[in-house]
Amino acid sequence: SPPVAACLEERFGTESAQAVASGSRQLTADEQTVLGDCVLASAFGATTGKVSPAVAACLEDRLGKEAAQAIDSGSRQLTAAEQTALGDCVLESAFGATTGTVSPSVAACLEKRLGAEAARAAASGSRVLTAQESSALGGCLLEAALGANR
């Protein structure tokens, strides 16, 4: 199973992991922390301590070379914008969204959560996502991943 989904299931159990992934309710502070931990754990290879080349390239595109290097090195606390970008890039990398297409189930989920126009933008990667769009994309991707494990 995808690393983020597997991590959520390990930390929460299947039912709670699906609730976190579905975005059907506001996450608690603890759930947000665990979700962040799982995203980071999947971003950083345990052997290298570095983000994957795909994630690094995505971060550089979104934030610039200096910020991408700081995130990759883990040399400082990340800003909220950097955490959001890292989450987006990891999800895109982990779930293959960098191709600019998402599965029909993810597209339908995004449209339900965001409306057609924002769903197209979130699915295409044509611009930097808002916090709401990023959250919806992450939730839809995780929901699809968890659903595939049933």
Side-chain angles (χ1 to χ4, degrees):
S1 79
V4 175
C7 175
L8 287 174
E9 285 191 22
E10 181 180 306
R11 301 279 292 272
F12 290 129
T14 301
E15 190 174 316
S16 294
Q18 289 171 344
V20 169
S22 73
S24 60
R25 61 174 172 74
Q26 188 73 29
L27 297 183
T28 66
D30 286 344
E31 289 168 339
Q32 288 177 341
T33 299
V34 170
L35 178 59
D37 290 349
C38 288
V39 168
L40 287 173
S42 88
F44 291 93
T47 54
T48 64
K50 302 280 185 187
V51 295
S52 72
V55 172
C58 174
L59 288 170
E60 195 168 320
D61 285 348
R62 290 177 182 229
L63 300 171
K65 190 170 190 165
E66 187 178 318
Q69 288 173 338
I71 292 168
D72 190 38
S73 71
S75 61
R76 62 172 171 76
Q77 187 78 20
L78 302 185
T79 66
E82 290 168 345
Q83 288 176 344
T84 298
L86 177 59
D88 290 347
C89 290
V90 168
L91 288 169
E92 287 175 8
S93 172
F95 293 100
T98 51
T99 61
T101 60
V102 294
S103 71
S105 64
V106 172
C109 173
L110 287 170
E111 193 163 326
K112 179 178 164 189
R113 291 185 186 196
L114 300 172
E117 187 177 327
R120 278 193 297 277
S124 71
S126 61
R127 60 175 169 74
V128 175
L129 302 181
T130 66
Q132 180 187 6
E133 291 164 349
S134 176
S135 174
L137 177 60
C140 290
L141 289 168
L142 288 171
E143 199 173 81
L146 291 171
N149 295 330
R150 287 185 192 146

